Amino acid sequence: MTEIVETRRDRIARRQVDKFGERRAQLAAAALHTLAELGYARTSLREIAQKSEFTHGVLHYYFNDKVELITQAVRQYEQVCVTRYDDIVATATAAEQLRDDFGMAMATTLDADAPLHRLWYDLRNQSLYEESFRDDVLEIDGHREQMIGNVVDCYADLSGRPLLIPSTTAYAIFDGLFQQALLHKLAGRADAADNLRTEAARLLDVVIGQGRP
């Protein structure tokens, strides 16, 4: 009988933990677009509450402060982002196919998710000052680096040529290209996505010594 009671207690405890985690995820998802719209410095828990269906008290119950909420929100978004090129890598049978699909995917996510990408860069810049979420930013950045590393490694294999630079350097180059395109997109340049698509594809050739920088 004692074992049965303990088992039930464990199940109830696990269910409560699961519900707490689900609620945090729901709140973070609701906050994400407010954060993307206003940025780190201009967003408070009260501001998020005003732009969502949740009260300020509810947000405070599930999150200690806006740093914790922002980190949770960006982590959830990044769980999707860091897999955006997986299918391209998995299905590519020729270097040209991978190059074209990768360039198109970068352009598409720039057009579709510009405010959310802006939030990521804002958070990464803030981590230079805010030590409290620096470790989280470094972890997320590491996942993004691996994502690009998978692309350039696959492209090199399909091309039959070695990478001329480490995948970490390739990530820095592609990330800089994307951030520049994001700035142009937010500034209203209509050709930002098309230029990104072209340049991302061209850079794949550059990192294997097949194109001109």
Side-chain angles (χ1 to χ4, degrees), residues 10-128:
D10 288 343
R11 288 176 179 172
I12 292 172
R14 285 197 299 270
R15 193 177 302 120
Q16 289 174 337
V17 170
D18 290 343
K19 286 183 178 180
F20 187 83
E22 290 172 3
R23 189 61 163 169
R24 278 172 57 92
Q26 183 183 14
L27 293 170
L32 190 59
H33 291 284
T34 300
L35 292 166
E37 176 188 350
L38 299 179
Y40 172 83
R42 296 168 56 199
T43 303
S44 65
L45 290 183
R46 191 172 301 280
E47 185 74 31
I48 293 170
Q50 290 175 351
K51 291 180 175 290
S52 72
E53 60 185 280
F54 305 106
T55 66
H56 185 235
V58 168
L59 291 173
H60 257 303
Y61 177 78
Y62 286 94
F63 297 96
N64 292 324
D65 51 33
K66 78 170 184 177
V67 170
E68 186 178 2
L69 174 56
I70 289 173
T71 302
Q72 175 78 13
V74 172
R75 274 184 173 277
Q76 289 178 196
Y77 173 64
E78 285 299 311
Q79 286 175 0
V80 178
C81 282
V82 297
T83 61
R84 70 164 62 92
Y85 306 131
D86 286 1
D87 286 344
I88 293 174
V89 171
T91 59
T93 57
E96 293 79 6
Q97 174 194 354
L98 176 60
R99 182 182 59 209
D100 293 344
D101 289 349
F102 176 62
M104 180 59 71
M106 288 197 79
T108 298
T109 190
L110 177 70
D111 267 342
D113 299 319
L116 297 174
H117 291 300
R118 175 174 63 179
L119 174 61
W120 159 246
Y121 286 115
D122 184 21
L123 181 61
R124 193 170 70 176
N125 288 338
Q126 290 295 330
S127 72
L128 299 175

Side-chain angles (χ1 to χ4, degrees), residues 135-155:
D135 288 343
D136 292 296
V137 166
L138 286 172
E139 182 181 344
I140 293 171
D141 206 50
H143 293 320
R144 294 167 69 94
E145 179 182 313
Q146 183 61 55
M147 173 181 66
I148 295 298
N150 291 340
V151 173
V152 295
D153 285 342
C154 182
Y155 190 67

